[in-house]
Amino acid sequence: QSGYLQFYLAFGEGNLAHKEWKARAPRLRDPLRSLVELFLLGGRLPAAKAKRLLGPAIFHRLCQEGILRLDKGTIATDRFLLISFHSLIFFCENLSDPSVYFGTDSIALGSYQSPVPGGVTLDLCAGSGIQALIAALQARRSYAVEINPRAARLARFNVALNGLDRKVRVFNR
């Protein structure tokens, strides 16, 4: 309802347009400006404001998952971005060497992916889980395997965020 998704998609699906986000953010009004600051620009918000914007349940879940971290009364993401690709929303890391990855090769793989409708898919080195999520839009079942516990936990969160719990299973062994 804040316009966050529309703001993000104005720069193109699957975009990582940091400079453009930063240039446009000062012209936004709250609550959109605060959400862009938090989930795209890596800014901080007073914890009470973030809790109000997100609602207590979502706020606590994001803290529990390690997506948000509290520090001296302010809240920030733990270097995560909330982005969209193929009508899915998901978190990925905003680092030069992320373990919860999304990049140009993710876009290419997602664009050329063609799972058999009603079939079963396997995503190895799943990272954020985006390929398994995209596959699940057509496949009957999608399995994601990720060796990094933090990435696997976030992939599970991304699956739940998109309501695909019954179709996607994330393994971390």
Side-chain angles (χ1 to χ4, degrees):
Q1 293 175 346
S2 69
Y4 180 89
L5 188 58
Q6 292 86 346
F7 174 84
Y8 175 81
L9 290 173
F11 301 96
E13 188 178 55
N15 80 82
L16 296 172
H18 301 276
K19 289 180 185 176
E20 290 87 352
W21 302 334
K22 190 173 183 176
R24 298 267 175 91
R27 292 182 257 165
L28 302 174
R29 293 186 184 159
D30 264 338
L32 178 56
R33 183 176 181 168
S34 292
L35 294 171
V36 167
E37 286 286 337
L38 183 62
F39 291 122
L40 290 177
L41 300 177
R44 299 181 115 2
L45 293 178
K49 182 176 185 177
K51 193 174 194 177
R52 224 177 20 259
L53 285 172
L54 300 169
I58 293 171
F59 177 84
H60 289 299
R61 178 78 191 269
L62 292 173
C63 290
Q64 178 185 13
E65 295 296 333
I67 294 167
L68 293 179
R69 58 184 160 74
L70 183 61
D71 182 33
K72 298 177 185 170
T74 64
I75 203 84
T77 66
D78 192 18
R79 300 177 310 261
F80 288 108
L81 299 173
L82 177 60
I83 62 175
S84 177
F85 185 59
H86 272 279
S87 302
L88 299 161
I89 54 172
F90 61 99
F91 286 95
C92 62
E93 280 183 320
N94 184 24
L95 298 169
S96 59
D97 187 24
S99 60
V100 186
Y101 178 76
F102 182 82
T104 55
D105 53 336
S106 304
I107 293 170
L109 284 169
S111 297
Y112 293 107
Q113 199 183 107
S114 55
V116 174
V120 177
T121 67
L122 174 64
D123 178 11
L124 299 174
C125 305
S128 67
I130 189 60
Q131 301 308 326
L133 288 166
I134 293 169
L137 295 175
Q138 294 185 41
R140 173 176 41 87
R141 193 84 170 132
S142 186
Y143 297 98
V145 179
E146 175 53 56
I147 194 169
N148 180 305
R150 183 176 189 201
R153 188 174 73 243
L154 193 67
R156 285 185 192 100
F157 181 79
N158 287 335
V159 168
L161 185 62
N162 287 283
L164 292 169
D165 312 72
R166 294 177 180 258
K167 294 182 80 175
V168 181
R169 181 140 181 231
V170 179
F171 293 92
N172 173 238
R173 303 261 186 235

